[in-house]
């Protein structure tokens, strides 16, 4: 048990006895992110149900490759459900677990009775953790965290998830009652197959824009706030814990506290983007996602989308930011309305957007069939003899507008298809050059060689980065006019080098042909609920 | 070898549409059994542009079919996109990516104009026909099939000709056309593609539909047999198919005459079929008033409702109440809302309905800085008394205030310390009397005002009631007529865009903007519409004038009587008021004298 964990337990024990926190500095176990013991206490209480189902006493069996129990720890928790003590149990004293470890429910019942009898503790959770799993996690942690500095947070999380899923698939990492998060990660993996969470995180990391911001979580207790200054650079993401000074809590009423904290962070960290979230609202959203069954039904998907949009539009309640962009200023918005632009994030039509979006996409894109999605730096040019940049392909099988399966197409396979097309084109005489678009030719060749694809979509890496940057950062910066940012996104869709679709459906052609500002003007009343002033 | 004379129908399945089709063709004995190198092949495909598969043909099945035909090496392959009213065939084909596939397999597109060219119709050169129909649920036919698709051999402008001229019923026309076509040419192969099957309200209502992956494809060289099996497989009575019903009546088909070769053992679980009753289609604020709907009108109305159910999904919240009137002799909606009259028969039969005009021009009460101007609704009896009391309440409050004010003053004087000084005593009494007199005079004035107000209000309402007897009708501009017998395709949508403001119907506007590329919307002639409205308004005015002529002279005399009555009442009231003022003054002077 490392020092950080001991400090956390001691602090929790102290709070349980004295009802007062001695706020000690520590690190979040396995993530190596600085935190104080008080916010950690409340963070644990909120996140634990996501990880392990319910806050209660737990027992942990650490087993070797032969399913032999090597170690046993009883985690005693206080009334709130926070661990206060770790009791090591001698393995020899454990009752005879004759049944297979896979029968986790049965083992839980045996241990529950035994722990009650020997230690007078009611256990609510049982975890069976293979030794190899612990070793893997430790080695991943060591790989990414050197001298207390985390070099690549997202990739590390990706690798953790992969190890969890591997162990779950081999049925060696077991929890009773089941862990909602682990169950979801496993279900998601089983449904889509042939991917790794590491790759997803890697891709996500690639598209994250450079930025400096503060993110604060309001925990259940009134004075428990968890703030981080996050600096995303090209090489790494750093989290710097920002303790909130006590004087802030003593002076003001609780409903203004968030506002004051945001102002404090803006001043203290000199950041232009400061966000605050109610952690329980975020956990509620995460539960909505992870409790979904696969294959995900259209209705469920729409409901989740609606909940996310509703969360976003309810600025001021589940989340807030400072300084706010111009678009949240009523006077400014009046003039925007006057010019015919119905942009108001607070009036986002959360209940209709998912349905309308799904309808329009199902109507114009072939959403029952296969779609080939290609991403890369540059759209390949069939005339160039130079080597084509690396490409990534995803063959997305859809039915009724919902993704059924995603097959990853690696660079080699795509390069082979492109060279076949080039060779075929070389065979043509000069006057008989294939005039079809590159995407059309890829579709034909891919359909002949692999499987039939009804649509093909090209998105450049640059465009994904730009969209992520605009939606996450630019759109929420106070000194920018949000409408201009939306126009910039629409303009990206008009440039073939960034985005291209074959066959060119009418919706895409409309976006391409119409002036982006005009197009924005025509779609904003769809996205916004009217009745503004 | 004994050959089975029954009609062979195969049901094939596969892990993808290509495999399903190939399995099906193999079960039928191979495509070469039907086609030869000399053949000039025409393929009719289902194209509900812009809706992609499974509303329109499945690209993969289509591509696999063309691939199989290419292997045989037929002389010519031509594709006829079976499109609905108003859709440009070539643009529709390209927007769904089928133009590219056609080109890949050296096939060519053929349009209706080329197929039925007067000088040299290409249909005559065709030696083999294949019908590739995409199966989906449909309100009137329950399930589309080969017999449903066959109508699309007929060019869109001819399809509705007989129906529009009331020469034929919609369903009869469709069935008759298929029989007539089969007399001229019998297609070689029918493919009912259900690999993806669209259930629910069909392609127009794409947010109330669901695509089901059945992986099945039905094939046969007999149109009746393939549809019979398709219907039965999806739990429908084949007789529900209007074409099969007719064929069955003519003893052209029965179950015994079908030889089924299926790769699947069981039938498919029940599907969700479309709504067939227009009044069951719900949209925010909408009420549907339908009269007698013939099948063509019902079909067009359902398609229209399915479309607006999607396009106005969000926007209908911006309308308030609205209504659609359709069919012959529909009920007259006595509601104050936007009204859409759908189709020629509804327009004709509702010409003299009440909703066409605004029947009562009520002068509204305008509240200006606390003063109410105008009469409002004409009232009688208790309601009128109530209205009078409400208007009088301010003056009554003033009376109370006056009483209180002077009462308090008199009480203060009474409470002054008693003195033996006679002069002071008489001064006190004099002041009291003065105050009492002022109070009485003021109350008298207010009571006069109360009575005057009452007389005026009663007279106003009496006058209004007489004036209301005169017809003062105006054209109801909140009525939109959508012409057509029945209105076809997406034509009605363009009328809606002119009826409501842009921001009210933003989704509909976007859809129209996008679909202008491949759909020819009718031209909306604003000046013609305005001229029509002007003439309608004139007609109403003329009608009003004629009816009012007789009433006017009678009303005039009645109004004069009321006017005279009002004048005399007001005169009497004023006299009474003056009398009372004098009486009060006299009384107080007398009492003052006594005290002295």
């Amino acid at each position: 048990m490392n020092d950080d964990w001991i400090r956390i337990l001691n602090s929790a024990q102290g709070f349980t006895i004295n009802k007062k926190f001695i706020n000690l500095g520590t690190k979040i176990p396995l993530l190596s992110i600085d935190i104080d013991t008080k916010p950690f206490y409340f963070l644990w209480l909120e996140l634990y149900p996501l990880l392990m189902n319910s806050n209660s006493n737990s027992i942990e069996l650490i087993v070797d490759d032969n399913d032999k129990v090597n170690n046993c720890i009883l985690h005693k928790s206080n009334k709130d459900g926070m661990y206060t003590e770790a009791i090591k149990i001698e393995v020899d004293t454990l009752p005879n677990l004759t049944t297979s470890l896979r029968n986790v429910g049965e083992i839980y019942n045996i241990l529950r009775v035994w722990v009650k009898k020997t230690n007078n503790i009611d256990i609510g959770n049982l975890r069976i953790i293979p030794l190899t799993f612990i070793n893997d996690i430790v080695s991943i942690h060591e790989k990414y965290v050197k001298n207390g500095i985390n070099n690549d947070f997202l990739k590390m999380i990706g690798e953790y998830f992969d190890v969890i899923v591997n162990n779950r698939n081999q049925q060696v990492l077991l929890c009773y009652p089941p862990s909602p998060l682990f169950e979801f990660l496993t279900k998601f993996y089983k449904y889509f197959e042939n991917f790794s969470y590491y790759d997803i995180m890697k891709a996500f990391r690639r598209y994250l824009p450079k930025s400096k911001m503060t993110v604060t979580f309001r925990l259940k207790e009134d004075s428990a706030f968890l703030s981080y200054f996050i600096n995303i650079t090209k090489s790494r993401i750093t989290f710097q814990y920002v303790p909130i000074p006590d004087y802030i809590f003593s002076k003001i009423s609780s409903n203004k506290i968030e506002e004051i904290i945001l102002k404090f962070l803006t001043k203290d960290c000199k950041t232009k983007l400061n966000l605050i979230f109610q952690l329980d609202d975020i956990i509620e959203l995460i539960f909505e996602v992870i409790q979904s069954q696969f294959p995900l039904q259209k209705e469920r998907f729409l409901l989740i989308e609606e909940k996310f949009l509703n969360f976003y539009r309810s600025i001021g309640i589940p989340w807030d930011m400072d300084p706010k962009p111009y678009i949240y200023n009523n006077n400014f918005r009046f003039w925007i309305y006057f010019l015919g632009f119905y942009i108001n994030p607070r009036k986002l039509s959360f209940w209709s957007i998912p349905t309308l979006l799904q309808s329009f996409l199902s109507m114009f894109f072939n959403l029952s069939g296969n779609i080939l999605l290609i991403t890369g730096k540059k759209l390949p040019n069939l005339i160039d003899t130079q080597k084509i940049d690396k490409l990534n392909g995803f063959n997305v099988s859809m039915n009724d507008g919902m993704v059924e399966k995603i097959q990853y197409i690696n660079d080699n396979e795509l390069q082979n298809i492109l060279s076949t097309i080039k060779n075929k084109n070389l065979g043509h005489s000069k006057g008989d050059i294939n005039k079809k678009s590159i995407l059309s030719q890829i579709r034909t060749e891919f359909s002949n060689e692999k499987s039939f694809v009804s649509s093909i979509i090209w998105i450049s890496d640059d465009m994904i980065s730009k969209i992520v940057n605009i939606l996450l950062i630019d759109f929420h910066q106070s000194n920018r006019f949000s409408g201009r940012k939306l126009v910039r996104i629409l303009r990206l869709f008009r440039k073939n080098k960034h985005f291209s679709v074959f066959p060119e459906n009418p919706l895409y052609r409309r976006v391409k042909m119409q002036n982006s500002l005009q197009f924005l003007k025509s779609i904003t009343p769809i996205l916004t609920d009217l009745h503004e002033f | 070898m004994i050959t089975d004379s029954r009609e062979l129908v195969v049901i094939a399945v596969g892990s993808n549409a290509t495999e399903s089709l190939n399995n099906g063709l193999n079960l039928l004995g191979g495509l070469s059994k039907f086609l030869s190198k000399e053949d000039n092949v025409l393929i009719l495909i289902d194209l509900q542009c812009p809706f992609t598969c499974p509303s329109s043909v499945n690209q993969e099945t289509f591509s696999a079919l063309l691939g199989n035909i290419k292997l045989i090496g037929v002389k010519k392959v031509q594709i006829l996109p079976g499109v609905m009213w108003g859709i440009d065939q070539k643009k529709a084909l390209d927007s769904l990516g089928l133009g590219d596939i056609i080109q890949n397999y050296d096939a060519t597109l053929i349009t209706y104009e080329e197929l039925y060219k007067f000088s040299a119709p290409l249909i005559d050169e065709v030696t083999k026909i294949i019908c590739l129909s995409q199966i989906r649920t449909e309100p009137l036919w329950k399930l589309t099939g080969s017999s449903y698709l066959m109508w699309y051999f007929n060019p869109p402008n001819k399809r509705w000709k007989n129906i529009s001229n009331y020469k034929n019923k919609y369903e009869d026309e469709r069935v008759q056309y298929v029989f007539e076509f089969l007399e001229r040419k019998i297609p070689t192969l029918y493919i009912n593609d259900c690999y993806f099957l669209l259930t629910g309200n069909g392609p127009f209502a794409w947010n109330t539909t669901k695509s089901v992956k059945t992986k099945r494809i039905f094939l046969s060289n007999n149109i009746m047999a393939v549809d019979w099996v398709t219907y039965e497989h999806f739990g429908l009575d084949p007789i529900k198919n209007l074409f099969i019903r007719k064929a069955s009546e003519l003893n052209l088909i029965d179950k015994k005459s079908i030889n089924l070769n299926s790769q699947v053992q069981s039938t498919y679980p029940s599907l969700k079929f479309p709504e067939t009753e227009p009044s069951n289609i719900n949209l925010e604020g909408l009420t549907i008033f339908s009269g007698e709907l013939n099948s063509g009108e019902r079909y067009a109305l359902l398609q229209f409702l399915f479309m607006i159910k999607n396009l106005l999904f969000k926007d209908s919240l911006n309308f308030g109440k609205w209504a659609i009137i359709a069919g012959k002799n529909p009920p007259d909606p006595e509601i104050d809302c936007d009204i859409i009259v759908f189709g020629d028969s509804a327009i004709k039969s509702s010409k003299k309905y009440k909703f066409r005009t605004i029947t009562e021009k009520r002068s509204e009460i305008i509240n200006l800085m606390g003063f109410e101007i105008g009469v409002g609704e004409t009232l009688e009896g208790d309601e009128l008394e109530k209205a009078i009391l409400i208007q009088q309440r301010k003056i009554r409050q003033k009376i109370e205030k006056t009483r209180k004010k002077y009462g308090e003053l008199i009480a203060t004087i009474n409470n002054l310390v008693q003195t033996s000084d006679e002069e002071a005593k008489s001064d006190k009494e004099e002041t009291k009397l003065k105050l009492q007199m002022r109070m009485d005079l003021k109350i008298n004035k207010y009571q006069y005002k109360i009575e005057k107000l009452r007389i005026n209000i009663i007279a106003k309402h009496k006058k209004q009631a007489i004036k209301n007897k005169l017809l003062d009708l105006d054209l109801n501009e909140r009525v939109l007529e959508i012409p057509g017998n029945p209105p076809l395709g997406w034509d009605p949508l363009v009328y809606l865009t002119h009826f409501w403001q842009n921001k009210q119907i933003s989704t509909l506007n976007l859809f129209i903007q996008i679909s202008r590329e491949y759909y020819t919307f009718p031209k909306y002639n604003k000046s013609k519409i305005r001229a029509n409205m002007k003439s309608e308004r004139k007609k109403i005015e003329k009608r009003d004038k004629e009816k009012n002529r007789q009433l006017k002279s009678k009303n005039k005399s009645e109004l004069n009587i009321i006017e005279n009555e009002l004048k005399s009442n007001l005169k009497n009231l004023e006299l009474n008021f003056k009398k009372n003022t004098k009486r009060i003054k006299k009384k107080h002077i007398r009492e003052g004298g006594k005290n002295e």
Side-chain angles (χ1 to χ4, degrees), chain A residues 35 103 149 160 172 175 187 238 248 300 327 342 358 362 367 379 392-393 413:
Chain A
I35 193 167
N103 297 332
I149 298 163
Y160 280 162
V172 285
C175 302
K187 273 190 293 184
T238 52
I248 284 183
R300 173 86 190 163
I327 201 67
Y342 294 88
Q358 179 83 14
S362 301
L367 292 191
L379 181 68
N392 292 306
E413 289 172 277

Side-chain angles (χ1 to χ4, degrees), chain B residues 268-282:
Chain B
Y268 201 80
S270 61
L271 301 174
K272 190 174 182 264
F273 290 99
E275 188 55 65
T276 50
E277 194 47 57
S279 56
N280 290 345
I281 297 167
N282 301 317

Side-chain angles (χ1 to χ4, degrees), chain A residues 193-206:
Chain A
E193 288 178 341
N194 297 328
F195 78 96
S196 75
Y197 286 103
Y198 171 78
D199 287 335
I200 293 177
M201 290 297 186
K202 198 174 143 189
F204 183 58
R205 173 72 190 90
R206 199 168 71 223

Side-chain angles (χ1 to χ4, degrees), chain A residues 359 399 436 443 509 525 528, chain B residues 50 59 104 206 211 314 517:
Chain A
S359 297
N399 182 27
K436 286 183 183 174
R443 182 178 87 144
R509 267 209 294 274
T528 316
Chain B
Q59 290 187 24
N104 288 344
W206 60 91
S211 165
K314 172 175 175 269
E517 203 176 306

Side-chain angles (χ1 to χ4, degrees), chain B residues 120-212:
Chain B
L122 291 176
I123 185 89
D124 294 343
E125 292 169 21
V126 171
T127 56
K128 295 282 164 63
I129 295 174
I130 297 173
C131 281
L132 173 56
S133 60
Q134 172 61 47
I135 307 301
R136 54 177 186 273
T137 52
E138 209 268 347
L140 292 186
W141 292 66
K142 298 292 172 203
L143 214 57
T144 62
S146 293
S147 52
Y148 176 88
L149 182 66
M150 285 288 278
W151 199 43
Y152 287 84
F153 269 118
N154 202 6
N157 53 350
K158 287 188 181 173
R159 273 179 223 160
W160 292 89
K161 209 175 169 185
N162 287 337
I163 301 164
S164 302
N165 295 335
Y166 291 106
K167 282 181 190 164
N168 220 340
K169 279 185 178 175
Y170 168 70
E171 64 264 42
D172 294 344
E173 172 65 23
R174 280 192 87 136
V175 173
Q176 194 182 321
Y177 177 80
V178 179
F179 276 111
E180 280 171 11
F181 187 87
L182 291 175
E183 274 172 25
R184 293 198 304 272
K185 275 198 186 299
I186 297 178
T188 320
L189 183 64
Y190 300 94
I191 303 168
N192 283 358
D193 183 6
C194 313
Y195 192 85
F196 289 110
L197 193 149
L198 189 76
T199 63
N201 287 338
F204 295 106
W206 60 91
N207 77 345
T208 55
T209 59
K210 193 172 172 62
S211 165
V212 183

Side-chain angles (χ1 to χ4, degrees), chain B residues 110-125 158:
Chain B
I110 187 164
T111 58
Y112 286 114
E113 290 76 30
E114 288 163 342
L115 192 68
Y116 298 106
K117 196 158 60 179
F118 183 72
S119 53
L122 291 176
I123 185 89
D124 294 343
E125 292 169 21
K158 287 188 181 173

Side-chain angles (χ1 to χ4, degrees), chain B residues 467-482:
Chain B
K467 278 178 189 170
N468 283 350
K469 282 179 191 170
L470 289 175
L471 286 176
D472 191 7
L473 300 179
D474 197 5
L475 186 71
N476 186 0
E477 286 185 17
R478 290 168 75 186
V479 177
L480 168 72
E481 287 182 351
I482 297 178

Side-chain angles (χ1 to χ4, degrees), chain A residues 297-299 342 349 351-352 355-356 358-369 398-400 404 436 440 443-444 448 452-455 502-507 509-510 513-514 519 522-523 525-531, chain B residues 16 18 49-54 57-60 63 91 94-98 100-101 103-105 196 198 206-207 209-213 310-311 313-315 317-318 502-504 506-508 510-511 513-518:
Chain A
Q297 295 299 306
K298 191 161 80 176
E299 293 73 21
Y342 294 88
S349 185
W351 59 275
S352 71
T355 312
L356 290 174
Q358 179 83 14
S359 297
F360 268 75
L361 290 179
S362 301
M363 177 167 58
F364 293 114
F365 284 85
N366 205 358
L367 292 191
S368 285
M398 320 246 337
N399 182 27
D400 200 29
E404 275 193 336
K436 286 183 183 174
S440 149
R443 182 178 87 144
T444 309
N448 292 338
F452 188 88
V453 285
S454 49
S455 292
F502 183 84
E504 285 194 357
N505 60 62
L507 176 65
R509 267 209 294 274
R510 189 79 209 165
M513 284 161 64
Q514 199 176 9
F519 190 71
S522 61
I523 60 167
I526 302 174
L527 307 177
T528 316
D529 281 334
L530 302 179
H531 323 297
Chain B
N16 53 49
T18 310
C49 185
F51 316 107
T52 50
C53 172
V57 64
N58 185 350
Q59 290 187 24
E60 188 175 0
S63 174
K91 284 177 183 169
D94 286 338
S95 75
L96 295 181
L98 298 170
D100 190 57
I101 294 173
Q103 222 178 328
N104 288 344
Y105 292 102
F196 289 110
L198 189 76
W206 60 91
N207 77 345
T209 59
K210 193 172 172 62
S211 165
V212 183
K213 200 182 199 175
N310 292 278
L311 293 169
F313 167 70
K314 172 175 175 269
D315 300 339
L317 283 175
N318 305 326
N502 278 350
K503 70 170 184 183
Q504 282 181 298
S506 43
T507 322
L508 177 64
L510 181 68
F511 179 78
Q513 275 177 27
I514 294 169
S515 36
R516 274 192 196 283
E517 203 176 306
Y518 49 85

